């Protein structure tokens, strides 16, 4: 078992440039269309001498189709420029983001929109006629003298640039200058997501993670084309988002965490910065205010929210199911409305998550009454509700998203919700919960739904996972990371890598590309990238790591 280190970014493992990816196998050279890129036994003899090369298709999530041109490469050079469509701010931002990512390692200027595209340049193109790409897809043509990414939106361009990153040698992820060359294997990739909703969740309530830690995780998930970050902002142990009309929620309710540490919270300014930072990486933040259970931090902050008028003490343990807002009191709904209004104002995205899980201290009847008053409030402030699947029994309107977190593959209420038209977000706890131990010896994490190996996290199909929930009802997948046992960024990374990329691939890649052998080889090739990025990942024995 590997012990995670306690620091965050200070001690980064670094590989010598010559080792980085030098051991990576090239993938097969034939066209791979909507099928898993297959690792090839032979590495070919046209690798550059310094820094190694990646094969087209050696990407996570696996692209929809890959058509390599053997033996040819594009090179990023000192005079390579980046071109973005004129007059489109968002597309220009994508170009600028790519520039910011590649400048530190290459040491090149990668100037933006310097004259007409020239030989050796990278061109980002918006082209509405490429219907087959849908709204979020892209086509990347890599030729000797030009690398072009086509898409119908800036979102598609962004995904193309994230694929491009993975096609460069791993040292491209370095934050200090490295020697080239910077080859990209030639060919064409056509790629688009299987599901619209590809989410990661972080529980910042059980243990608080600061803005920089959140940004670090956002950077990590964005490279795997995750497009939602669900933040579990409130729970029994802490309230983490400033609410002006109820200030004690944070000054008191945010003052501790599991184990009795100092806790913390995001000011509105900080939260807005997180939302902006995520949006720059094509990620929409979904805030969760969990209710009516999981509310001890709020109940402890305001005595009047309790049925008996007495505030309970703050809680620093990890039990669940003991707290409930007082369903009979009018003040409860004033409180909920204030919170929803203020959180909605901070949230440009469509969704607001209202929890609804494990309300074991609320009777069924009270739960229904509570939800029937709260669901319209979410809509009143312009948001679409999301809730853990228990709230399906309150029959939310058919736009509302139902998030399944059970371990069984059948659930009547979820199947009925799907039938009524509710989109279902899948985060089966025995598959995609990143907080579950990898095996019984893993020091971090919980095991109530696990342990869950990398293979188990990968080996399921969201389109057929649940009885009577057809693929057409599935909005996508989420990988939640609960933080009862996690206190540092290293802990987050150790639990998320390599399982987060596994769930990301299930959300993005076509079912026909789903292949464990291919995935484990490609994930092994991510290791040198993670080392460059300082990610403290779990060296699962199921993966043929080749970097050490
Ligand atoms: C459950 C519970 C959470 C725990 C988590 C731990 C849901 C939706 N509610 O998932 O409060 O933190 O398990 O794995």
């Amino acid at each position: 078992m590997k012990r995670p280190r306690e620091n965050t970014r200070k001690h980064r493992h670094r590989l010598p440039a010559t080792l980085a990816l030098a051991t990576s196998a090239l993938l097969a050279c034939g066209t791979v269309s909507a099928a898993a890129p297959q690792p090839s036994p032979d590495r070919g003899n046209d690798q550059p001498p310094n820094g190694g090369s990646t094969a087209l298709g050696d990407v996570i999530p696996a692209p929809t189709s890959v058509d390599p041109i053997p033996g040819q490469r594009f090179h990023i050079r000192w005079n390579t420029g980046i071109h973005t469509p004129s007059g489109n701010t968002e597309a220009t931002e994508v170009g600028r983001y790519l520039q910011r990512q590649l400048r530190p390692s290459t040491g090149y200027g990668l100037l933006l929109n310097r004259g007409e595209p020239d030989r050796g340049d990278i061109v980002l193109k918006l082209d509405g006629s490429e219907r087959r790409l849908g709204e979020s897809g892209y086509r990347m043509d890599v030729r000797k003298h030009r690398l072009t990414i086509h898409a119908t939106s800036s979102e598609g361009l962004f995904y193309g640039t994230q694929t491009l990153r993975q096609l460069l040698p791993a040292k491209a992820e370095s934050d200090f200058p490295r020697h080239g060359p910077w080859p990209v294997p030639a060919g064409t990739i056509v790629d688009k997501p299987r599901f619209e909703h590809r989410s990661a969740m972080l529980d910042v309530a059980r243990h608080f993670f600061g803005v920089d830690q959140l940004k670090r995780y956002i950077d990590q998930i964005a490279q795997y084309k995750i497009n939602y970050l669900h933040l579990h902002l409130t729970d029994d142990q802490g309230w983490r988002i400033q609410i002006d009309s109820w200030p004690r929620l944070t000054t008191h309710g945010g003052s501790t965490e599991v184990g009795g540490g100092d806790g913390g919270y995001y000011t509105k300014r900080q939260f807005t910065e997180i939302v902006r930072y995520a949006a720059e990486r094509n990620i929409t933040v979904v805030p969760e205010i969990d209710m009516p259970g999981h509310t001890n931090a709020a109940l402890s902050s305001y005595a009047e929210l309790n049925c008996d008028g007495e505030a309970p003490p703050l809680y620093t343990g990890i039990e669940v199911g003991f707290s409930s807002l007082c369903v009979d009191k009018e003040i409860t709904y004033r409180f909920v409305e204030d919170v929803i209004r203020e959180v909605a104002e901070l949230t440009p995205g469509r969704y607001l998550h209202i929890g609804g899980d494990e309300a074991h201290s609320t009777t069924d009847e009270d739960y229904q009454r509570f939800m029937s008053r709260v669901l319209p409030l979410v809509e009143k402030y312009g948001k679409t509700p999301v809730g853990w699947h228990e709230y399906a029994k309150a029959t939310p309107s058919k736009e509302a998203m139902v998030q399944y977190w059970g371990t069984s593959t059948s659930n009547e209420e979820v199947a009925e919700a799907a039938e009524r038209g509710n989109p279902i977000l899948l985060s089966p706890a025995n598959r995609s919960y990143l907080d579950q131990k990898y095996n019984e010896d893993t020091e971090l994490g919980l095991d109530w739904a696990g342990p869950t190996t990398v293979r188990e996290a990968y080996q399921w199909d969201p389109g057929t996972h649940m009885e009577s929930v057809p693929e057409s009802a599935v909005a996508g997948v989420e990988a939640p990371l609960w933080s009862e046992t996690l206190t540092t960024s290293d802990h987050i990374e150790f639990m998320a890598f390599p399982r987060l990329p596994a769930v990301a691939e299930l959300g993005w890649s076509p079912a026909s590309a789903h292949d464990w052998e291919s995935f484990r080889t490609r994930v092994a090739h991510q290791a040198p990238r993670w080392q460059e990025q300082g990610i403290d990942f779990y060296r699962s024995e199921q993966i043929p790591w080749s970097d050490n």
Side-chain angles (χ1 to χ4, degrees), residues 126 243 251 306 324 333 379 398 434 446 452 454 477 502 542:
L126 283 175
I243 302 292
T251 55
N306 296 270
S324 180
Y333 304 98
E379 283 158 6
K398 71 176 180 5
L434 302 178
L446 305 178
T452 306
V454 180
V477 291
Q542 298 178 326

Side-chain angles (χ1 to χ4, degrees), residues 206 294 357-358 388 405 433 435-436 446 448 482 484:
R206 268 51 176 276
H294 289 279
D357 57 322
E358 298 177 314
W388 299 105
W405 63 280
Y433 265 35
D435 68 318
Q436 298 300 302
L446 305 178
W448 70 268
W482 300 96
E484 284 94 333

Side-chain angles (χ1 to χ4, degrees), residues 313-343:
L314 290 168
Y315 180 67
T316 60
I318 62 168
E319 293 303 313
V320 295
F322 59 89
S323 55
S324 180
L325 291 174
C326 187
V327 175
D328 285 332
K329 279 187 159 180
E330 259 329 285
I331 192 171
T332 296
Y333 304 98
R334 283 214 300 282
F335 164 74
V336 170
E337 178 159 1
D338 286 341
V339 169
I340 288 178
R341 187 187 61 249
E342 292 195 33
V343 173

Side-chain angles (χ1 to χ4, degrees), residues 98-383:
L98 179 65
Q99 180 190 58
R100 279 209 306 275
Q101 276 180 333
L102 298 181
R103 270 183 170 177
S105 56
T106 60
Y108 302 153
L110 300 168
L111 298 181
L112 221 58
N113 300 326
R114 175 207 50 193
E116 286 302 302
D118 207 347
R119 276 163 79 92
D121 282 351
I122 296 172
V123 181
L124 309 185
K125 266 194 173 161
L126 283 175
D127 180 356
S129 65
E130 287 249 22
R131 289 266 175 79
R132 65 180 167 155
L133 301 178
E135 273 198 12
S136 323
Y138 66 93
R139 171 163 64 89
M140 182 154 83
D141 291 322
V142 188
R143 303 292 181 267
K144 192 156 187 232
H145 296 298
R146 178 74 57 86
L147 191 155
T148 315
I149 301 174
H150 308 256
T152 62
S153 68
S154 60
E155 193 188 340
L157 292 179
F158 178 81
Y159 293 136
T161 62
Q162 295 314 294
T163 295
L164 169 57
R165 269 174 83 180
Q166 291 189 37
L167 294 175
L168 283 161
K171 65 189 176 192
E173 298 298 331
S174 169
D175 57 11
F176 63 96
R178 304 287 278 271
H179 289 293
W182 304 102
V184 181
T188 295
I189 291 182
V190 180
D191 199 12
K192 65 174 181 187
R194 177 178 179 191
F195 295 106
E196 191 280 327
H197 211 102
R198 305 174 305 278
S199 178
M201 186 214 84
L202 189 62
D203 170 11
V204 295
R206 268 51 176 276
H207 281 104
F208 180 67
F209 298 98
V211 175
D212 287 346
Q213 290 174 299
L214 224 49
K215 287 184 171 177
R216 184 171 163 81
Y217 197 48
I218 290 170
D219 283 339
Q220 293 167 358
I221 63 179
Q223 59 186 327
Y224 297 106
K225 305 186 173 83
I226 294 287
N227 63 344
Y228 286 94
L229 175 66
H230 165 187
L231 288 177
H232 184 74
L233 290 167
T234 67
D235 212 303
D236 292 320
Q237 298 85 346
W239 187 285
R240 310 297 179 203
I241 176 81
Q242 179 188 348
I243 302 292
D244 295 331
S245 49
W246 298 76
R248 268 179 64 79
L249 288 172
T250 43
T251 55
H252 175 75
S255 66
T256 192
E257 58 186 2
V258 168
D262 287 343
Y265 64 90
Y266 308 116
T267 63
K268 288 194 164 174
R269 242 190 131 118
Q270 288 174 325
F271 191 78
T272 302
E273 169 59 9
I274 292 161
V275 167
R276 185 205 62 78
Y277 191 86
E280 201 175 45
R281 288 149 185 78
N282 221 35
I283 291 174
T284 303
V285 171
V286 178
E288 178 186 351
I289 307 295
D290 204 347
M291 56 185 124
H294 289 279
T295 42
N296 187 75
L299 296 168
S300 176
S301 304
Y302 289 96
E304 57 270 43
L305 293 177
N306 296 270
C307 286
D308 63 5
E310 277 186 35
L314 290 168
Y315 180 67
T316 60
I318 62 168
E319 293 303 313
V320 295
F322 59 89
S323 55
S324 180
L325 291 174
C326 187
V327 175
D328 285 332
K329 279 187 159 180
E330 259 329 285
I331 192 171
T332 296
Y333 304 98
R334 283 214 300 282
F335 164 74
V336 170
E337 178 159 1
D338 286 341
V339 169
I340 288 178
R341 187 187 61 249
E342 292 195 33
V343 173
E345 277 167 7
L346 290 173
T347 306
R350 171 174 173 200
Y351 297 107
L352 201 152
H353 202 306
I354 53 168
D357 57 322
E358 298 177 314
H360 305 320
S361 306
T362 320
T363 64
D364 239 23
E365 193 203 323
D366 278 357
Y367 186 90
Q368 302 273 4
R369 272 197 302 139
F370 178 81
M371 283 299 174
S372 68
R373 291 197 58 181
V374 169
L375 284 163
L377 292 176
V378 178
E379 283 158 6
K380 175 173 172 187
Y381 292 101
K383 298 296 163 195

Side-chain angles (χ1 to χ4, degrees), residues 434-495:
L434 302 178
D435 68 318
Q436 298 300 302
K437 292 176 184 292
Y438 289 96
N439 60 48
E440 56 202 22
D441 296 329
T442 313
E443 280 178 28
L444 297 170
L446 305 178
D447 59 6
W448 70 268
T452 306
T453 63
V454 180
R455 185 172 187 157
E456 284 162 335
Y458 183 75
Q459 205 73 288
W460 59 287
D461 174 9
T464 56
H465 184 70
M466 291 195 70
E467 262 169 49
S468 309
V469 178
E471 176 157 345
S472 57
V474 175
V477 291
E478 179 176 291
L481 186 44
W482 300 96
S483 65
E484 284 94 333
T485 65
L486 315 177
T487 58
T488 66
S489 284
D490 270 4
H491 291 171
I492 292 176
E493 290 155 24
F494 183 79
M495 300 310 277

